[in-house]
Amino acid sequence: MRKSLAAIAVAAFLAGCTPLSPGGETLPEPPSAAPTQAASPASPAPASPATSPLDEELPLAFPVQGRLSDDAARVVAELHRVAANLPVLKVDLTAAQATLTALLPDGSVSSYRWQDGEITRVDSDIQYLEQATFDPASFPLTSAARMFDIADLRGVRGEAILQIVEYREGQVLLTISSRPESATVFFRPDGTAVTELGYTSVADLTAGLAEVVGTDAQAYAVGFNPTRGYWADLPDAEPGVVLNRSRLAGLPVFETRRGEAPAVEPFDPQLIDPAVLAQLIAQAQADPAAPCAVTIDRSTQRSAAVVRLDCSGTVTFADLRGRDMTHLIQR
């Protein structure tokens, strides 16, 4: 069975970020870059890490005109060149310095920093624990200045730091957080910020369901609520495995897989109409501010999927066209 994509990878980044898992519980701080994390007994960190073949160039003058954030892509590209274009474990970028940590062939790491117009090698407290590597050229660093501005508008206060690093197992993300801790903003590969979605409007329901369902034509269950976010349980390509996609608050979509024999028959999630769901929620809410938990599946043993709405403890049912089925389900 494939490795889960839900494991969390790095703690040295995301100060002030305590994300929630698809089930709603608070996730622990990501461990893979923590200074106190011990190396795996099977692959201990070498006492004297190897060096890049280009280390003899250092220190290297590399002047930048204006703000570092305006020239971030060029600076990081040069750091990567000095690191012999090796696989990268982490990139940090602040207003004053850029740091790139690369994985060497022997499993050790080497970090390089740009500061005050000069590139040098620096000590690193990161250890390689099989976290994902990446090519920094794949990320929108040409938009770094704009992303810092967006992060400021989103409430990131203090020393803002842009980081590219594995956030969950196998998933490398670009974020901007701060020291001391305040907020964290996640960015997509095109440089746009991940927005926070609500759970009542047609626009938010359309966006949230589209992110977790995508173009899939079969689902075991689809749902959303303010605690769990948007989620979908889908058939996986591997038999006997359920794929879960979740999209919570301002976090991007995450995928997890679990070995399970589904207890319900699948249905076509493309039949879900966000406008119908928004109308059902408005009708079911005694108070417009009261949250509703919505689940769509075939657990009621009907011939088609049924919408279950739990609004402040009051449960109602409807079909995908919005027709009330409460009297048929609750006997």
Side-chain angles (χ1 to χ4, degrees):
M1 184 180 301
R2 283 179 271 179
K3 294 174 64 179
S4 167
L5 295 181
I8 305 175
V10 179
F13 100 122
L14 292 182
C17 177
T18 55
L20 298 179
S21 75
E25 68 271 18
T26 300
L27 294 172
E29 291 293 332
S32 56
T36 57
Q37 175 68 46
S40 168
S43 55
S48 300
T51 62
S52 159
L54 302 182
D55 272 16
E56 65 272 10
E57 296 185 10
L58 305 179
L60 174 67
F62 195 79
V64 167
Q65 300 297 323
R67 300 183 304 173
L68 171 59
S69 60
D70 290 325
D71 213 3
R74 190 172 70 92
V75 170
V76 172
E78 181 64 8
L79 289 171
H80 198 199
R81 185 195 71 80
V82 171
N85 293 312
L86 290 164
V88 176
L89 289 169
K90 190 180 183 188
V91 168
D92 291 342
L93 182 75
T94 68
Q97 64 184 34
T99 305
L100 178 145
T101 299
L103 175 65
L104 279 74
D106 67 352
S108 64
V109 302
S110 190
S111 292
Y112 301 89
R113 177 170 295 160
W114 179 96
Q115 187 170 15
D116 297 328
E118 186 177 79
I119 293 175
T120 58
R121 183 177 176 182
V122 294
D123 293 334
S124 175
D125 55 14
I126 296 176
Q127 295 174 346
Y128 178 56
L129 302 175
E130 299 187 355
Q131 59 267 47
T133 59
F134 59 91
D135 179 354
S138 301
F139 290 84
L141 291 173
T142 54
S143 301
R146 179 182 59 79
M147 289 190 286
F148 276 114
D149 289 342
I150 292 172
D152 180 70
L153 292 173
R154 293 284 188 90
V156 175
R157 299 291 180 263
E159 181 189 13
I161 177 169
L162 180 154
Q163 294 186 320
I164 308 173
V165 70
E166 182 188 76
Y167 184 73
R168 287 188 172 184
E169 186 177 341
Q171 189 164 0
V172 177
L173 298 176
L174 188 156
T175 68
I176 295 180
S177 55
S178 65
R179 302 177 182 135
E181 61 187 55
S182 58
T184 298
V185 180
F186 291 79
F187 291 86
R188 298 185 178 89
D190 63 358
T192 59
V194 176
T195 57
E196 293 211 22
L197 297 175
Y199 303 95
T200 57
S201 74
V202 175
D204 284 342
L205 296 180
T206 300
L209 293 172
E211 290 203 50
V212 297
V213 171
T215 59
D216 286 50
Q218 285 194 318
Y220 297 120
V222 176
F224 55 89
N225 62 66
T227 301
R228 189 176 176 184
Y230 291 87
W231 58 272
D233 283 342
L234 309 162
D236 189 66
E238 185 174 338
V241 176
V242 174
L243 167 65
N244 174 270
R245 290 198 195 109
S246 63
R247 165 72 156 86
L248 176 62
L251 300 176
V253 172
F254 291 114
E255 292 187 349
T256 62
R257 287 173 171 83
R258 62 182 186 270
E260 180 179 304
V264 295
E265 292 296 318
F267 68 96
D268 183 358
Q270 302 303 325
L271 298 176
I272 299 172
D273 186 342
V276 169
L277 295 182
Q279 184 178 20
L280 289 172
I281 292 169
Q283 293 171 349
Q285 286 177 309
D287 177 357
C292 292
V294 175
T295 303
I296 306 165
D297 61 19
R298 294 184 62 187
S299 61
T300 58
Q301 307 302 315
R302 311 295 295 188
S303 60
V306 172
V307 183
R308 181 183 188 274
L309 300 98
D310 184 344
C311 299
S312 302
T314 300
V315 177
T316 56
F317 296 87
D319 66 15
L320 291 179
R321 296 173 64 181
R323 296 175 297 192
D324 182 72
M325 298 181 67
T326 306
H327 64 291
L328 297 174
I329 306 298
Q330 294 182 337
R331 297 173 186 258

